[in-house]
Amino acid sequence: AAGALVAVAFAGCGLGGPAPVSTVGEVDFDTPLAIPPLADSTVDAAGTRVFALDARAGITEFAPGVTSDTWGFNGSYLGPTLVADRGERVRVDVTNSLDEPTTVHWHGMHLPAEMDGGPHQMVEPDATWSPEWDIDQQAATLWYHPHPHGETEAHVTRGLAGMFLVHDPEERALGLPSQYGVDDVPVIVQDTGFSADGRREAPARGYAGGLGDELLVNGTRGPYLEAHDELLRLRLLNASTARTYGFTWSDDRPIELIATDGGLLEASVELDRVVLSPGERAEVLVRLTPGERVVLRSEMSAEAAGMVGPVAAMNGNTDAFDVLEVRATDELEAAAPVPERLATITPYDAGEVATTRTFRLDDSFEINGEAMDMGRIDETVTVDTLERWLVENDTEVPHSFHVHDVQFRVASIDGAPPPPELVGWKDTIHAEPQREYELLMRFEDYADPDTPYMYHCHLLWHEDQGMMGQFAVVEPGQSATMTGGTDHEH
Ligand code: C2O
Ligand code: CU
């Protein structure tokens, strides 16, 4: 199977597959970075904060005067940023104005399986689905995107994705940059292709999926961000379907990482770069001096970014992009000092592990030798018990591994303690070739034997091919049942 994958990707070489891609030094940063609008909300009589998202088709001009057909929520591309506080009850009225079914999944959110927006919560055209839940997790940069089985890559590629920010009192008290779109800025990174006349086109697939030769940030091509503050907080989201990035600064200043998928680290760490595979997030701080310009870049080995040997070789084995230019104005607002201690992260006690499970990612886009079956529950987890998940990438290529409902901790990688950027809360991990990741997690609060959550590779084409499984969270002694009405062949 591995040989076949390489052949497919290699054939792509002369046929519009991943072309040599390095945009470093070539991007004209001539367009102000679009900031997704904050989603409007109302608070109903019961105190529930209510949002509305409408998935619809539209037309987007990525270059002036050149239109592309795209999809978006409440607009033509991407969606508004939802913001809520820990302790709030929220409802989102999700309307599907497309002419095919879709779903909306709240990536990183702790919530009941029925509200999760996975492939079992399809929203038919013209229907409205209204999940509601209590926000009960620490401040974090979460996101939302469709999850219809077999169609996720297509729906995300067309433009359906947005951010969901959670705040909590501890985080607010830190005095971190928090003016949305001013000093607290979403940075949604997606790769794509453009035709010669500037129309957006989905790139041809290599083994990882579609790898484009240009980037969009918040849907903007060639973006710059004018900064008026000496301290910026960038919320990086890799919303690409296949590519992994290694974010750096053009002048080699360190990346100051303060938060990972599930929230703040105990203290900031300085890194040469921060690696994000599809689905992962990072909050970073950047300190500016008046008038300076600095470019956020990505630099990876081509294979780590998602190319296989021959295509990687065509690219000189590097995958490098200019992402976003930050332009500091001549006068900058002073920022409050950043507290040394950002959060408290209590370690899990591995002695409490109740169940250990292994998830082997293989060359046939399967997990533990099986492709996703909507009618099969692969794992049954007892609510509120500690789980150890061993994720083994048995292939020669990178994948990513995402678990719904939970934020986990990385206990070890190949038996060694994780690097500082992976000691915090995570819901998605870059699974490098031939490595084993030991994850500890506890599924809390919500038992439902009838409705599964998903775990899967977040390279969306892999997910669509079936690199996904289902787990149900149950009360002690309960067994999972599927009443979902899908075909069940077991
Ligand atoms: Cu971001 Cu199951 O997905
Ligand atoms: Cu994969």
Side-chain angles (χ1 to χ4, degrees):
L5 295 179
V6 171
V8 165
F10 190 51
C13 217
L15 299 170
V21 286
S22 175
T23 67
V24 169
E26 285 178 15
V27 176
D28 297 323
F29 294 106
D30 52 8
T31 311
L33 177 70
I35 303 294
L38 289 172
D40 289 333
S41 62
T42 54
V43 177
D44 73 9
T48 302
R49 183 173 295 285
V50 182
F51 299 92
L53 289 178
D54 180 25
R56 55 171 87 137
I59 295 212
T60 303
E61 288 188 20
F62 294 103
V66 187
T67 58
S68 299
D69 291 326
T70 55
W71 288 1
F73 292 103
N74 304 359
S76 71
Y77 192 76
L78 297 177
T81 298
L82 280 63
V83 181
D85 268 42
R86 183 173 200 162
E88 280 191 300
R89 186 162 183 83
V90 298
R91 186 177 93 219
V92 189
D93 295 331
V94 177
T95 299
N96 181 2
S97 299
L98 302 167
D99 54 18
E100 62 185 275
T102 190
T103 79
V104 178
H105 166 58
W106 318 103
H107 181 127
M109 194 73 77
H110 173 50
L111 77 185
E114 281 185 329
M115 311 300 170
D116 187 44
H120 293 275
Q121 287 89 42
M122 294 298 278
V123 190
E124 296 299 323
D126 297 322
T128 297
W129 173 63
S130 296
E132 64 175 271
W133 70 93
D134 296 308
I135 303 281
D136 187 16
Q137 63 194 92
Q138 69 183 100
T141 302
L142 311 181
W143 67 299
Y144 60 92
H145 63 79
H147 218 298
H149 186 40
E151 296 294 329
T152 295
E153 182 202 44
H155 288 202
V156 173
T157 299
R158 286 173 194 155
L160 293 179
M163 275 195 180
F164 197 136
L165 309 183
V166 173
H167 292 290
D168 67 28
E170 293 78 17
E171 173 241 6
R172 285 192 192 278
L174 295 172
L176 293 169
S178 58
Q179 281 179 275
Y180 179 80
V182 178
D183 61 4
D184 180 0
V185 180
V187 178
I188 303 174
V189 181
Q190 299 175 297
D191 57 340
T192 188
F194 286 97
S195 66
D197 62 355
R199 204 172 306 276
R200 197 180 74 113
E201 31 184 51
R205 287 199 191 102
Y207 96 88
L211 295 176
D213 54 7
E214 281 198 50
L215 298 188
L216 295 172
V217 181
N218 302 345
T220 309
R221 194 178 177 190
Y224 69 86
L225 171 68
E226 195 174 80
H228 301 265
D229 296 83
E230 66 178 17
L231 185 64
L232 284 187
R233 177 190 199 174
L234 302 180
R235 298 177 184 259
L236 307 178
L237 159 62
N238 181 354
S240 306
T241 60
R243 183 178 248 109
T244 293
Y245 301 95
F247 294 103
T248 63
W249 290 109
S250 53
D251 62 357
D252 292 327
R253 75 181 66 184
I255 289 272
E256 190 174 340
L257 179 76
I258 56 166
T260 53
D261 301 337
L264 292 163
L265 297 169
E266 291 208 306
S268 70
V269 290
E270 293 198 345
L271 304 170
D272 293 339
R273 60 178 190 169
V274 60
V275 173
L276 297 184
S277 66
E280 291 185 285
R281 289 87 65 211
E283 293 178 30
V284 304
L285 296 180
V286 55
R287 293 162 199 280
L288 299 169
T289 55
E292 75 165 327
R293 293 187 176 195
V294 62
V295 176
L296 181 71
R297 285 200 171 141
S298 172
E299 289 177 20
M300 289 292 280
S301 89
E303 292 192 348
M307 297 175 190
V308 281
V311 177
M314 283 196 318
N315 282 281
N317 201 38
T318 54
D319 189 62
F321 285 96
D322 282 337
V323 181
L324 169 70
E325 185 179 63
V326 177
R327 299 182 184 171
T329 50
D330 289 336
E331 276 177 49
L332 295 175
E333 292 280 330
V338 175
E340 229 161 89
R341 192 157 189 87
L342 300 172
T344 301
I345 299 183
T346 333
Y348 281 131
D349 174 0
E352 283 177 26
V353 167
T355 311
T356 297
R357 305 170 200 271
T358 301
F359 299 86
R360 196 172 32 77
L361 313 181
D362 68 34
D363 280 320
S364 327
F365 299 131
E366 292 177 343
I367 301 178
N368 293 336
E370 296 203 275
M372 165 79 169
D373 177 344
M374 296 258 306
R376 183 187 70 231
I377 302 284
D378 298 280
E379 307 290 337
T380 303
V381 169
T382 304
V383 68
D384 298 326
T385 61
L386 192 62
E387 294 257 324
R388 173 189 285 123
W389 287 26
L390 299 173
V391 177
E392 295 174 13
N393 181 351
D394 266 7
T395 76
E396 299 298 330
V397 295
H399 295 278
S400 73
F401 191 81
H402 169 50
V403 188
H404 286 208
D405 181 50
V406 83
Q407 293 293 334
F408 55 72
R409 307 288 299 286
V410 182
S412 68
I413 301 176
D414 290 340
E421 64 269 32
L422 293 177
V423 298
W425 296 106
K426 294 287 294 167
D427 55 50
T428 307
I429 187 153
H430 183 215
E432 296 182 74
Q434 302 295 330
R435 307 198 96 175
E436 182 184 87
Y437 299 79
E438 178 192 9
L439 313 179
L440 296 179
M441 65 196 86
R442 183 181 277 136
F443 297 92
E444 296 179 328
D445 307 317
Y446 306 119
D448 178 351
D450 295 338
T451 314
Y453 296 100
M454 307 294 132
Y455 54 84
H456 57 89
C457 181
H458 217 288
L459 276 62
L460 298 182
W461 185 51
H462 295 188
E463 175 188 335
D464 285 342
Q465 298 300 298
M467 207 168 198
M468 175 153 68
Q470 312 197 95
F471 66 100
V473 177
V474 301
E475 298 290 351
Q478 218 178 14
S479 17
T481 50
M482 277 288 280
T483 55
T486 45
D487 293 333
H488 191 182
E489 290 157 16
H490 296 263

